[in-house]
Amino acid sequence: MTVQKRNDVLRIGDFERTFHDELVARYDLRELPDGPRRAGCLAEYGANIRVVVTSGPPGVPADLMRSLPNLEVIVNNGAGVDSIDLEAAKRWGIGVSNTPDVLSDTVADTALGLILMTLRRFGAADRYVRAGRWAAEGSFPYARDVSGLQIGILGLGRIGSAIATRLLGFDCVIAYHNRREIEGSPFRYENSAVQLAESVDVMVVATTGGRTTHHLVDRAVLTALGPLGYLINIARGSVVDQDALVELLTGGGLAGAGLDVFADEPYVPSELLELDNVVLFPHIGSATARTRKAMALLAIRNLDSYLETGELVTPVLPPRR
């Protein structure tokens, strides 16, 4: 394969291995360094950049867009675009693409794994055996059944719907909350996150990140979930008030939590590390070889398509003509 050299496409951020390998196999792109060289590079070639390729933090804030006066499109490797200032992009007519659908099943599988591990305490049971406690102390304490529970999904989009489908196999009763009720949905709609929390045994957070959902799961929602309730988060750490979550988990205000995301990744509150009723994953929701390759190839399809035709394959915001 011939590697195309581009001086109008800019890479921003540290890319995970699969995306990096797929991208550099096809393109030789400009990079934006951190530190003191950054301003000089922007002054040197910022006006030439038409396309930014990014993947998660540090993202593309408004001030960076302002430094790229001829930017037309941002290609994001990932379904979530909360690290991109969408309001600024829309205001300036900059298109944004993401990689939806290809990761929905894998993230839904992760959510199901978190639910099972948290309620059935599979991780704690594994540690119990490894520490020699089964022989020394006897049977492991009882856990909680998943089958037949009331489960609330906060954000019944592609991923939330895939989670719901899986839970139907456990005879769970599904409720959800979105900004608007979904016409024709077979699941019960609740008018607020608090009402959803009050009505279920387990709340699964599957909404988008960003400003509009910051601390959507606040202290009031967590308190409504209650001391017998469980929180599962496979969305973004910013959606949950982490300080309130830690306080309630350590004080008995929640029965447990399964968390794949945190407010300040990769840092996890030290209090959570000591709790056996909490399952902690290092943001691995979509982390399988097949899914990460599918995401990388879809992001590159968006890049290829825009450079060749001016169209994005999976636009979040269409570019202004």
Side-chain angles (χ1 to χ4, degrees):
M1 180 184 295
T2 301
V3 177
Q4 300 181 51
K5 188 171 184 64
R6 306 285 313 196
N7 63 7
D8 58 350
V9 181
L10 181 66
R11 290 176 48 184
I12 294 178
D14 295 324
F15 295 170
E16 61 93 22
R17 183 180 66 253
T18 304
F19 186 43
H20 173 271
D21 292 348
E22 295 289 345
L23 189 64
V24 299
R26 293 164 172 77
Y27 287 101
D28 180 14
L29 308 181
R30 289 191 179 276
E31 295 189 46
L32 184 63
D34 292 324
R37 292 183 54 229
R38 184 182 180 95
C41 289
L42 286 172
E44 177 187 349
Y45 53 72
N48 296 328
I49 299 301
R50 297 173 53 223
V51 181
V52 161
V53 181
T54 187
S55 183
V60 190
D63 61 339
L64 180 56
M65 295 182 205
R66 197 176 292 112
S67 300
L68 305 171
N70 295 305
L71 180 62
E72 300 168 10
V73 159
I74 299 167
V75 173
N76 183 60
N77 179 42
V81 290
D82 47 300
S83 63
I84 299 168
D85 191 328
L86 292 181
E87 292 179 7
K90 185 175 183 179
R91 185 165 62 249
W92 295 325
I94 299 168
V96 177
S97 68
N98 67 342
T99 59
D101 295 325
V102 293
L103 75 169
S104 298
D105 284 334
T106 300
V107 177
D109 291 347
T110 302
L112 188 60
L114 276 171
I115 292 168
L116 288 167
M117 286 191 69
T118 304
L119 274 72
R120 290 297 311 275
R121 301 186 64 202
F122 289 150
D126 176 79
R127 293 190 294 272
Y128 192 81
V129 173
R130 293 175 187 274
R133 295 177 63 188
W134 189 13
E137 302 176 30
S139 299
F140 186 72
Y142 292 156
R144 182 85 176 268
D145 281 319
V146 173
S147 296
L149 289 183
Q150 299 269 344
I151 306 233
I153 298 178
L154 188 62
L156 195 69
R158 294 180 178 94
I159 293 171
S161 296
I163 295 168
T165 298
R166 284 155 175 75
L167 289 168
L168 290 177
F170 288 81
D171 294 324
C172 293
V173 178
I174 310 297
Y176 74 99
H177 172 69
N178 282 7
R179 291 191 184 95
R180 288 175 290 277
E181 186 172 359
I182 299 172
E183 185 177 351
S185 172
F187 307 123
R188 185 180 79 247
Y189 178 72
E190 296 289 349
N191 288 313
S192 70
V194 169
Q195 289 179 9
L196 182 65
E198 288 174 339
S199 70
V200 298
D201 304 298
V202 179
M203 175 182 278
V204 182
V205 184
T207 188
T208 58
R211 296 174 186 171
T212 60
T213 59
H214 181 75
H215 286 192
L216 177 61
V217 180
D218 58 12
R219 183 180 297 274
V221 174
L222 295 169
T223 301
L225 195 52
L228 298 179
Y230 295 82
L231 182 80
I232 306 295
N233 190 4
I234 50 85
R236 287 290 188 267
S238 61
V239 180
V240 177
D241 182 340
Q242 187 167 275
D243 291 340
L245 176 63
V246 170
E247 182 182 322
L248 288 166
L249 284 168
T250 55
L254 284 171
L259 308 172
D260 184 44
V261 290
F262 303 88
D264 184 25
E265 296 175 4
Y267 305 104
V268 177
S270 58
E271 299 94 329
L272 298 182
L273 303 178
E274 308 301 321
L275 298 179
D276 253 357
N277 62 334
V278 178
V279 176
L280 307 170
F281 286 174
H283 202 152
I284 57 169
S286 63
T288 68
R290 184 186 69 170
T291 296
R292 288 293 170 85
K293 183 160 187 175
M295 291 169 61
L297 292 177
L298 180 52
I300 291 169
R301 278 180 61 205
N302 274 289
L303 175 60
D304 291 345
S305 177
Y306 188 75
L307 293 175
E308 293 169 7
T309 71
E311 300 288 342
L312 292 169
V313 178
T314 53
V316 176
L317 290 176
R320 183 178 298 162
R321 294 292 182 186

